[in-house]
Amino acid sequence: MRVDYHSHILPFIDDGAQSVEESIAVLRQSRLQGVELILATPHFYIEDVQSVHKFLHIRKHAYKKLQAALSAESPDEVPQILLGAEVLLTPEIPYLEDLEKLCIEGTNLILLELPFQPWSEWVYRALFYIISERNLQPIIAHLDRYISINKNNLHYILSMEVYIQINADSICNYFLFRQIKKWYRDGIPLLIGSDVHNCTSRQTYFGKATKKILRAFGPDFFQRTENIGAILSEACKCKNKC
Ligand SMILES: [Fe+2]
């Protein structure tokens, strides 16, 4: 199953889709580019939203609106959707009440965005705490976006028990792809996310990226992350049954 691990497709909730129509257009475009399952991961900024409960309430409302409109669509024209969040890691996040409710639904996978500044000790401690004390499985969002500011710190993250997500548009970038190829050759399983926000300025490059990956590495690239795909398949089955 082709999974887009990172997207902003829910309407009205963050800087992603700004209407239900835009959400549907992005979903259709994603499906045309081969996406079968998309993780809807709106930004979770604790400073803005204040609590997990409030965020879930807003997300539920956005998803309901989208679902109502999607019922008129042919199901094979859009990918399946699992809800999650892109949680900005701040010092309080590891101790946040109900943090597990921000995981991708039906799993213990949590998409974490790291700070866009040079990382210090607290970042690694926070990740370690989330893994060992909260028993969650972090997916680090778009590691490729930290190359310029944290080049010398990336190996700390790569040595932890985390999954790494890379952005599709970075795969299409010659210089960033050189680094991504190196990670892959070092044996690191990589998850592709579009980080799509709309159909124009931050559109999905999932199809282009997938083609480039298949040309460079063949299907082995995706086989390396089959275990996580299976977890998500199970979560979809469970969601459809309920
Ligand atoms: Fe994002």
Side-chain angles (χ1 to χ4, degrees), residues 104-120:
I104 307 304
E105 55 182 327
T107 78
N108 72 338
L109 300 161
I110 186 162
L111 184 68
L112 295 174
E113 178 179 33
L114 302 185
F116 284 96
Q117 58 199 40
W119 301 324
S120 51

Side-chain angles (χ1 to χ4, degrees), residues 8-235:
H8 299 269
I9 50 142
L10 294 184
F12 320 116
I13 189 167
D14 59 5
D15 57 344
Q18 295 304 305
S19 66
V20 169
E21 292 72 27
E22 191 168 33
S23 296
I24 292 177
V26 173
L27 286 168
R28 282 186 160 174
Q29 209 171 64
S30 301
R31 185 70 197 95
L32 285 172
Q33 294 193 26
V35 178
E36 293 165 286
L37 167 65
I38 191 162
L39 306 187
T41 52
H43 289 290
F44 177 88
Y45 298 132
I46 187 64
E47 272 189 24
D48 293 348
V49 79
Q50 304 297 327
S51 76
V52 172
H53 178 76
K54 198 170 158 199
F55 172 83
L56 295 178
H57 179 76
I58 298 168
R59 191 184 69 179
K60 189 175 168 187
H61 180 72
Y63 186 51
K64 255 190 180 173
K65 289 225 168 196
L66 178 60
Q67 262 187 320
L70 280 176
S71 60
E73 294 285 313
S74 154
D76 50 358
E77 285 181 11
V78 292
Q80 294 188 76
I81 300 169
L82 282 178
L83 298 175
E86 179 183 9
V87 181
L88 177 65
L89 188 68
T90 55
E92 62 267 59
I93 289 293
Y95 315 103
L96 194 66
E97 199 184 343
D98 291 334
L99 179 64
E100 49 288 336
K101 292 186 179 167
L102 298 177
C103 287
I104 307 304
E105 55 182 327
T107 78
N108 72 338
L109 300 161
I110 186 162
L111 184 68
L112 295 174
E113 178 179 33
L114 302 185
F116 284 96
Q117 58 199 40
W119 301 324
S120 51
E121 192 63 31
W122 75 262
V123 171
Y124 314 116
R125 285 187 195 281
L127 284 172
F128 185 72
Y129 190 91
I130 290 169
I131 297 165
S132 58
E133 300 297 323
R134 304 298 297 258
N135 297 314
L136 302 182
Q137 177 59 68
I139 299 175
I140 304 301
H142 43 55
L143 194 70
D144 43 280
R145 289 188 63 191
Y146 306 108
I147 291 173
S148 55
I149 34 176
N150 273 293
K151 200 170 177 51
N152 298 326
N153 296 328
L154 293 173
H155 65 281
Y156 291 118
I157 300 296
L158 292 166
S159 68
M160 297 185 88
E161 283 177 40
V162 295
Y163 285 107
I164 302 298
Q165 181 258 310
I166 48 173
N167 271 7
D169 57 349
S170 296
I171 293 169
C172 302
N173 173 296
Y174 177 78
F175 294 102
L176 293 175
F177 192 51
R178 271 179 26 186
Q179 176 61 64
I180 291 166
K181 278 198 281 194
K182 193 177 171 311
W183 289 337
Y184 181 75
R185 287 182 181 134
D186 286 346
I188 295 158
L190 300 169
L191 306 167
I192 302 180
S194 64
D195 204 359
V196 61
H197 282 62
N198 52 45
C199 288
T200 50
S201 56
R202 296 188 72 180
Q203 61 183 281
T204 180
Y205 289 93
F206 191 91
K208 213 172 162 186
T210 303
K211 274 184 202 150
K212 199 164 173 184
I213 288 287
L214 286 171
R215 264 202 311 273
F217 309 116
D220 285 2
F221 182 95
F222 295 100
Q223 280 158 12
R224 215 180 253 188
T225 55
E226 263 177 356
N227 57 339
I228 187 166
I231 292 169
L232 294 171
S233 277
E234 207 48 49

